[in-house]
Amino acid sequence: MAKILQVQTYIASKEKACHEVGIISSVYRFDETVSEIKLLETIDFLNNDEDVDGFIVQLPLPKHIPVDKIIQRINPAKDVDGFHPINIGRMVLNLPSYLSATPYGIMQLIERYNIETEGKHCVILGRSNIVGTPMSILMSRKGYPGNCTVTLCHSKTENLKEICLQADILIAAIGQQEFVTADMVKQDAVVIDVGMHRIPSTETKSGYKLIGDVKFDEVAPKCSYITPVPGGVGLMTIVSLLKNTLKAAKKEIF
Ligand code: GUN
């Protein structure tokens, strides 16, 4: 139940952001028992609607729905999440593409704060299609931000702590709350926290609070820069989705 509420909060934030910048948005909600056919038909409808510049399918999907098939049905020119294989392939080849929202947001943060990346060791925790894998491509490719030496760590990585200690830039997208502790972080490292976990709390009116993949209070004193949760990468993700939608409306990519 908590997960569903969290997903609904994400969607509400995206709707609100669209409204604030003047993008007209609609949400199509389905039961968890929705059929694959129904989802594919809805995607076809949106692909063919000339009034729709871009759309996303909020993940995760129920277990009986094949996510790859759903994503591949989206017209790449309207895929403002940048999840379609054509957009991912174009991103890898450094061709114009929609970058998926979280990696795009992180790239913008690095650029805005003039974080040095050339020749630096960027360690990424987590190899998801949405964050870890595209981040590894973007940080290693030619240009700025980029030109990093990248290490992509995952559940089978040995000596994880030693590798993290070598990171000039550490990107935590591992999906485990407060996984990164101070003893894993080099002095003056840049730490980017992609985690988002809702935990019960007596400190807030709502009865819960958000925490990340990084143990912020003990890691922050060691860092030259660190992103908080909430108020860090999450906000940039929404901005990136809006930027991609604007690009779609202007037909900048396709
Ligand atoms: N679920 C978690 N992150 C994302 C995202 O960036 N886009 C979509 N569509 N679903 C998600």
Side-chain angles (χ1 to χ4, degrees):
M1 194 60 189
K3 263 282 173 239
I4 294 175
L5 274 180
Q6 191 161 346
V7 169
Q8 292 198 1
T9 310
Y10 292 155
I11 295 168
S13 309
K14 290 173 185 179
E15 271 190 287
K16 184 165 169 269
C18 282
H19 182 73
E20 279 168 7
V21 299
I23 294 174
I24 299 167
S25 69
S26 317
V27 181
Y28 294 73
R29 289 191 172 81
F30 299 95
D31 274 0
E32 227 180 310
T33 53
V34 66
S35 67
E36 178 186 330
I37 293 283
K38 178 76 190 160
L39 285 185
L40 292 173
E41 279 172 6
T42 308
I43 291 172
D44 289 342
F45 171 75
L46 296 169
N47 281 341
N48 293 325
D49 185 344
E50 284 182 10
D51 289 337
V52 173
D53 294 302
F55 65 94
I56 66 168
V57 177
Q58 184 68 35
L59 305 180
L61 292 173
K63 288 214 164 29
H64 65 281
I65 303 287
V67 61
D68 290 341
K69 196 166 165 190
I70 297 295
I71 300 284
Q72 286 176 41
R73 190 70 158 243
I74 301 172
N75 174 355
K78 294 191 178 188
D79 168 39
V80 287
D81 247 338
F83 290 171
H84 191 285
I86 293 214
N87 277 309
I88 295 184
R90 291 174 72 132
M91 183 263 300
V92 171
L93 297 172
N94 216 352
L95 296 169
S97 69
Y98 297 115
L99 297 184
S100 47
T102 303
Y104 187 18
I106 293 171
M107 296 300 270
Q108 290 176 81
L109 266 183
I110 290 174
E111 203 173 340
R112 280 294 182 98
Y113 285 87
N114 275 316
I115 308 285
E116 223 182 302
T117 57
E118 186 166 314
K120 301 296 179 196
H121 187 193
C122 176
V123 174
I124 299 166
L125 303 181
R127 57 180 158 186
S128 69
N129 288 346
I130 296 182
V131 185
T133 299
M135 238 20 263
S136 70
I137 306 286
L138 293 170
M139 292 302 277
S140 60
R141 76 182 184 184
K142 239 184 208 164
Y144 179 77
N147 284 332
C148 281
T149 304
V150 171
T151 305
L152 183 59
C153 299
H154 45 74
S155 53
K156 304 287 182 227
T157 298
E158 291 180 358
N159 306 321
L160 188 80
K161 183 177 159 190
E162 285 69 24
I163 296 170
C164 289
L165 275 168
Q166 293 166 21
D168 300 305
I169 302 170
L170 181 62
I171 302 179
I174 204 164
Q176 287 187 45
Q177 60 191 57
E178 297 188 327
F179 180 86
V180 176
T181 45
D183 59 338
M184 297 166 76
V185 177
K186 183 163 89 171
Q187 187 65 41
D188 296 328
V190 173
V191 173
I192 297 173
D193 190 351
V194 184
M196 186 90 80
H197 312 276
R198 197 182 165 104
I199 59 160
S201 168
T202 51
E203 298 157 29
T204 60
K205 229 163 73 183
S206 62
Y208 71 87
K209 66 174 184 176
L210 289 177
I211 59 168
D213 284 359
V214 176
K215 209 162 189 177
F216 185 89
D217 289 348
E218 65 172 57
V219 171
K222 289 185 96 172
C223 302
S224 57
Y225 288 93
I226 183 167
T227 62
V229 177
V233 171
L235 294 179
M236 293 308 295
T237 298
I238 293 187
V239 170
S240 305
L241 185 60
L242 299 177
K243 286 184 81 155
N244 277 346
T245 308
L246 184 61
K247 286 181 186 183
K250 290 176 153 180
K251 310 247 178 296
E252 273 182 25
I253 309 285
F254 289 88

